[in-house]
Amino acid sequence: MTKPIWIIHANQLTTLASNHKGPRIGKAMSDLAIIEDGSLWIEKGVIEAIGTTQELAKDFADRLEEAEIVDASNHLVTPGLIDPHTHVVYAGSREKEFEMRLEGATYMEIMNAGGGIHATTRMTREATEVEIMEQTFIRLDSFLQHGVTTVEGKSGYGMDLETELKQLRVMKKLQKQHPIDLIPTFMGAHAVPPEYKGKEDEYVDTLIHEWLPIIAKEKLAVFNDVFCEKGVFTPEQSERILEAGKKWGLVPKIHADEIEAYGGAELAAQVGAISAEHLLKATDEGIEKMAEAGVIACLLPATALYLREEAAEGRKMIDAGVPVAISTDCNPGSSPTTSMPLVMNLACITMRLTPAEALTAATFNAACAIKCEHLVGSLEVGKQADIVMWNVKDYRELQYLFGVNHVKAVWKKGIQVVDRGE
Ligand code: NIG
Ligand code: FE
């Protein structure tokens, strides 16, 4: 029998607890429901009780000796971070393109010349399942080291049925082998593969009629995502793919308005997408429609920085009533990072989110963007004990001391999986 864990004396315990069910909107994004001198009682991987150290000492007075005590004096304790948008399952690397972009080539030029997504697709098609698993495992370890305990992952570096299935099956296996929870998204519509150049609608038909049913029947994905962008998939094609996915029970997500304003935010509202991603170029009308429909804006400030683009208008979106989540977009081209703490820093610096909003965007709202908020994203009784202890005292310090990994320890389902010492 594993012992209960009793975390005591946290300088700040940001619980993010609330009676409100859906994603936090507007002012509610600033309410971290902080307990000072905070304490948690963890048993069988679940949070049994939460309160001040004094309260829990009283409630568990007859069981204190059973527990393993973790002294969190002078430390901040938060829910495990959640990354709701990644392309973490792939083979190979693209450092040459990084250099090419610095020398003046654009992201779309590289992609249209057969690089970019196509380059990773070639490497992922050629790699064995074991090779992809090994490479992805290392990235998941790095996520964990940065305080991330749940990660969404997309297919989309196959764009043929065999490799799309290979990516999704790798996720299923990693879900069993790695402590991180991996939530799978089908993204066959990540680009038009070279075999279908000039026959884009034929590719869309194949996706809809042949691949989606197989993926849904094998229960390999929860979400269905599309790169709706000029030169990739039109809003009409994107709509067809997302509506077809809905019939199979797959929840829509959209890479929207990343490079040009293309009606992606509006489409997200129209099809009832759970989230729209990127949104660097989203129009005011698109933002308004997302607010009305309750679509979560999943913003990726590390990608904007890496592509040397102006970040999305996160401040404006929160003020307009759009629920905002943030993510690494971890991928080998536009954002090769696993650092959610850096993404929180950038959300503050480049999008003017406040430190509290950035933490909500990386925890509870991120959980909502992948429909996991009943299990994770806040510290509440009955939820998974996914917890991070940081080498800072205050949540504002976490956002202020930027570009540094402040993680001290991580627990996943009540098991300590990271110990970074003093
Ligand atoms: O979200 N925009 C499309 N897809 C990824 C990039 C993938 C890649 O470059 O390999 C993104 O940024
Ligand atoms: Fe992406």
Side-chain angles (χ1 to χ4, degrees):
M1 268 298 281
T2 49
K3 284 181 165 186
I5 299 170
W6 186 30
I7 299 180
I8 56 170
H9 298 312
N11 189 58
Q12 282 184 339
L13 185 63
T14 57
T15 68
L16 286 100
S18 161
N19 292 328
H20 178 77
K21 288 278 167 282
R24 309 282 151 79
I25 295 168
K27 294 229 174 338
M29 280 192 71
S30 302
D31 185 5
L32 301 180
I34 295 174
I35 302 174
E36 279 166 17
D37 193 3
S39 182
L40 287 159
W41 187 278
I42 299 161
E43 212 158 344
K44 298 193 186 104
V46 170
I47 299 170
E48 270 296 304
I50 187 159
T52 63
T53 307
Q54 220 181 10
E55 282 165 351
L56 264 61
K58 209 164 121 226
D59 294 350
F60 289 86
D62 53 345
R63 296 190 56 202
L64 297 184
E65 268 149 43
E66 277 175 50
E68 176 195 332
I69 294 178
V70 176
D71 185 359
S73 305
N74 294 322
H75 294 285
L76 166 71
V77 174
T78 71
L81 304 180
I82 294 175
D83 193 334
H85 175 148
T86 84
H87 308 256
V88 67
V89 184
Y90 62 86
S93 125
R94 303 201 328 244
E95 65 283 348
K96 279 200 205 83
E97 289 179 11
F98 176 60
E99 196 168 57
M100 280 162 74
R101 277 207 313 279
L102 295 175
E103 286 165 357
T106 68
Y107 181 79
M108 285 312 249
E109 275 165 12
I110 293 172
M111 176 161 149
N112 292 334
I117 293 172
H118 300 299
T120 301
T121 298
R122 280 194 297 278
M123 292 186 269
T124 307
R125 284 179 178 180
E126 277 161 24
T128 64
E129 201 173 291
V130 171
E131 286 166 339
I132 301 173
M133 281 186 64
E134 284 171 356
Q135 294 180 32
T136 306
F137 202 93
I138 293 168
R139 287 186 282 272
L140 291 179
D141 274 347
S142 174
F143 270 114
L144 213 50
Q145 291 289 329
H146 287 89
V148 180
T149 47
T150 301
V151 169
E152 182 259 16
K154 301 173 199 294
S155 71
Y157 289 126
M159 295 185 280
D160 60 24
L161 181 60
E162 192 191 330
T163 318
E164 289 292 313
L165 290 174
K166 184 164 71 177
Q167 277 188 283
L168 292 168
R169 286 179 185 142
V170 160
M171 273 189 256
K172 209 167 190 176
K173 288 191 180 155
L174 284 172
Q175 167 67 23
K176 293 207 183 100
Q177 293 181 14
H178 198 278
I180 283 188
D181 278 319
L182 249 183
I183 313 296
T185 295
F186 172 57
M187 197 178 180
H190 196 191
V192 179
E195 308 84 274
Y196 283 89
K197 209 166 179 189
K199 299 185 286 185
E200 290 75 12
D201 282 320
E202 222 176 279
Y203 183 60
V204 172
D205 285 336
T206 307
L207 272 180
I208 292 176
H209 300 297
E210 293 174 30
W211 301 2
L212 270 175
I214 294 172
I215 281 145
K217 279 182 202 154
E218 273 198 46
K219 293 196 184 351
L220 286 170
V222 179
F223 302 98
N224 183 26
D225 198 343
V226 179
F227 191 10
C228 177
E229 191 70 49
K230 207 172 249 178
V232 192
F233 295 98
T234 65
E236 293 71 28
Q237 291 166 333
S238 305
E239 184 183 347
R240 283 182 59 213
I241 295 166
L242 296 174
E243 287 295 347
K246 269 161 72 175
K247 295 207 178 94
W248 287 104
L250 298 179
V251 180
K253 283 181 173 281
I254 313 184
H255 281 59
D257 305 318
E258 177 183 359
I259 295 158
E260 290 188 39
Y262 200 37
E266 291 84 342
L267 179 62
Q270 188 197 315
V271 299
I274 182 85
S275 65
E277 335 286 304
H278 288 287
L279 300 166
L280 303 194
K281 303 285 158 53
T283 62
D284 287 351
E285 206 193 323
I287 292 174
E288 207 180 295
K289 293 217 163 122
M290 282 179 59
E292 275 164 24
V295 179
I296 299 170
C298 185
L299 305 180
L300 314 166
T303 311
L305 179 78
Y306 208 72
L307 296 179
R308 301 164 58 81
E309 294 285 342
E310 229 16 85
E313 297 197 87
R315 175 78 269 133
K316 192 190 220 177
M317 292 181 200
I318 292 177
D319 294 343
V322 177
V324 167
I326 53 176
S327 153
T328 61
D329 192 19
C330 173
N331 75 73
S334 64
S335 189
T337 183
T338 48
S339 176
M340 277 299 281
L342 174 67
V343 169
M344 290 196 289
N345 300 149
L346 294 175
C348 297
I349 299 163
T350 67
M351 304 196 299
R352 289 204 300 122
L353 266 63
T354 64
E357 288 168 344
L359 187 59
T360 300
T363 54
F364 192 79
N365 279 8
C368 292
I370 49 174
K371 289 183 158 288
C372 288
E373 70 271 27
H374 55 296
L375 295 172
V376 293
S378 59
L379 301 175
E380 295 180 79
V381 171
K383 279 193 159 184
Q384 263 176 221
D386 291 6
I387 295 161
V388 186
M389 179 155 86
W390 304 86
N391 276 322
V392 292
K393 292 198 196 69
D394 184 300
Y395 72 91
R396 283 167 292 203
E397 257 183 283
L398 185 61
Q399 318 297 25
Y400 153 72
L401 297 169
F402 94 115
V404 178
N405 190 358
H406 299 290
V407 168
K408 176 171 167 56
V410 180
W411 289 264
K412 178 69 188 174
K413 294 180 185 147
I415 295 169
Q416 186 168 359
V417 284
V418 174
D419 178 359
R420 289 168 45 88
E422 283 315 301

